[in-house]
Amino acid sequence: MDDTSETRRVATDYVDSLERRDWERFATLLAEDVVYEMPQTRERIRGRAGYLRFNVEYPGDWHLTTRRVVADGRFAALWLDVRVGAETMDACVWLDLDEHGLVRRITDFWPEAYEPPAGREHLVERW
Amino acid sequence: MDDTSETRRVATDYVDSLERRDWERFATLLAEDVVYEMPQTRERIRGRAGYLRFNVEYPGDWHLTTRRVVADGRFAALWLDVRVGAETMDACVWLDLDEHGLVRRITDFWPEAYEPPAGREHLVERW
C-alpha cells in the first residue's frame, strides 16, 4: 500500500475503533508520543496512555459517523458527525502519521452553532 | 495531472486568489451552480455570482494562510489560519470538485474559542 492508502485505512480505523470502544485496536494506531491538541480550548494531551484514557473517560454516550475522509500522503482530514443523545454536532479532525504509519498528532476542532451576523441576508438562505 | 494533483492545485488557488482579492481568478475556480454552506449558522449560498459577491463584500481586512491542504481525488480539506486585524482564528474548509475540476460545493467551519469543561484537568495541559 502507498502512504495515502495506508493513511486512509488508519483514519478509517481510528473512527471505527473509537465508535466500537475497541481500545486495544485504537491504541495500536497511536504513536507512543502522540500529541493531541484542541486549539479552541488550548488543551494538549501528550502520550498514548493519556490520550487513550481521555477517550475512555470521555463522558456521554457519544457516537461517531464519518461524513468525509480525505487522505494525502501522511496527512488525513476527517469530517465527523458526532451524536450524544439527541444532540448532534460536527467535528473536523486533522491526523498526522509518522514514518511507521502511526498517528503522531491529532488536531481536533469542535465548531459550535452560532447566530449569523447581520448584513448578508440578501445573499444567504437558512436551513 | 491526476484528479488529486488537480484538486490540490485548485484548493491552493482557491486560498491564494481569495487572499489576493483576485476575483476574476477566484470565479474561474467555481462551478456555475456552486453551493456554499456554513453548518454552524445553517446558512447556504447558491450559485457562483452570489458566492463571489459574499466574498467581495465580506467585511474586515481579512487574511488567509494555509496551514494544511489535504487532497484526495475530487475532495480537499483546508485548514486555514485567518487573521482580521489582531484577531486570529482557524477555519476548516471542505471542497468538492466536479468532473471538470471546478469547485461545486464548499462547507466552511469556523470553530470559536471556548472554555474547556471541567473534569479532564488530570489529563491535559493548557497553552
Side-chain angles (χ1 to χ4, degrees):
Chain A
M1 272 202 291
D2 62 13
D3 273 358
T4 293
S5 302
E6 173 67 9
T7 298
R8 193 181 293 111
R9 185 193 64 75
V10 169
T12 304
D13 280 1
Y14 178 91
V15 179
D16 189 61
S17 57
L18 277 173
E19 172 60 22
R20 293 173 189 270
R21 276 61 166 170
D22 185 345
W23 305 120
E24 198 170 332
R25 182 154 68 101
F26 181 67
T28 66
L29 304 173
L30 306 174
E32 178 72 37
D33 59 350
V34 63
V35 174
Y36 173 76
E37 290 189 344
M38 287 177 283
Q40 291 168 274
T41 56
R42 304 181 316 284
E43 288 174 292
R44 182 184 294 121
I45 299 170
R46 293 180 191 272
R48 183 163 52 200
Y51 183 53
L52 181 60
R53 185 168 168 193
F54 173 77
N55 282 283
V56 170
E57 293 182 1
Y58 204 92
D61 182 29
W62 47 270
H63 292 283
L64 312 176
T65 309
T66 302
R67 296 196 52 164
R68 182 77 52 89
V69 52
V70 186
D72 191 352
R74 290 186 187 153
F75 295 131
L78 288 160
W79 173 6
L80 303 181
D81 179 272
V82 183
R83 286 165 199 268
V84 186
E87 193 191 0
T88 146
M89 63 187 306
D90 297 282
C92 298
V93 185
W94 302 85
L95 302 179
D96 303 16
L97 273 62
D98 68 14
E99 67 275 22
H100 307 295
L102 297 173
V103 177
R104 73 168 168 198
R105 181 171 283 270
I106 303 146
T107 310
D108 228 352
F109 289 101
W110 296 92
E112 295 191 357
Y114 63 92
E115 282 307 302
R120 58 201 198 194
E121 302 82 354
H122 57 301
L123 297 171
V124 305
E125 59 185 57
R126 303 289 304 279
W127 80 81
Chain B
M1 271 201 293
D2 62 14
D3 273 358
T4 293
S5 303
E6 173 68 9
T7 298
R8 193 180 294 111
R9 186 193 64 75
V10 169
T12 303
D13 280 3
Y14 178 90
V15 179
D16 189 61
S17 57
L18 276 174
E19 173 60 21
R20 293 172 188 270
R21 276 63 164 168
D22 184 345
W23 304 121
E24 199 171 329
R25 181 155 66 102
F26 181 66
T28 66
L29 303 173
L30 307 175
E32 177 73 38
D33 59 350
V34 64
V35 174
Y36 174 76
E37 289 188 345
M38 286 177 283
Q40 291 167 274
T41 56
R42 304 181 317 284
E43 288 175 292
R44 181 186 293 121
I45 299 171
R46 293 179 192 272
R48 182 163 52 201
Y51 183 53
L52 181 60
R53 186 168 168 193
F54 173 77
N55 282 284
V56 171
E57 293 183 1
Y58 204 93
D61 182 29
W62 46 269
H63 292 283
L64 312 177
T65 309
T66 301
R67 297 197 52 165
R68 181 76 53 88
V69 52
V70 186
D72 191 353
R74 291 186 185 152
F75 295 131
L78 289 160
W79 173 7
L80 303 180
D81 179 272
V82 182
R83 285 165 198 270
V84 186
E87 193 191 1
T88 146
M89 63 188 303
D90 297 282
C92 300
V93 185
W94 303 84
L95 302 179
D96 303 15
L97 274 62
D98 68 13
E99 67 275 24
H100 307 295
L102 298 171
V103 177
R104 73 167 168 197
R105 180 171 285 269
I106 303 144
T107 310
D108 229 352
F109 289 101
W110 295 91
E112 297 192 356
Y114 63 91
E115 282 307 302
R120 58 201 197 195
E121 302 82 355
H122 58 301
L123 297 171
V124 305
E125 60 184 56
R126 303 290 302 281
W127 81 82

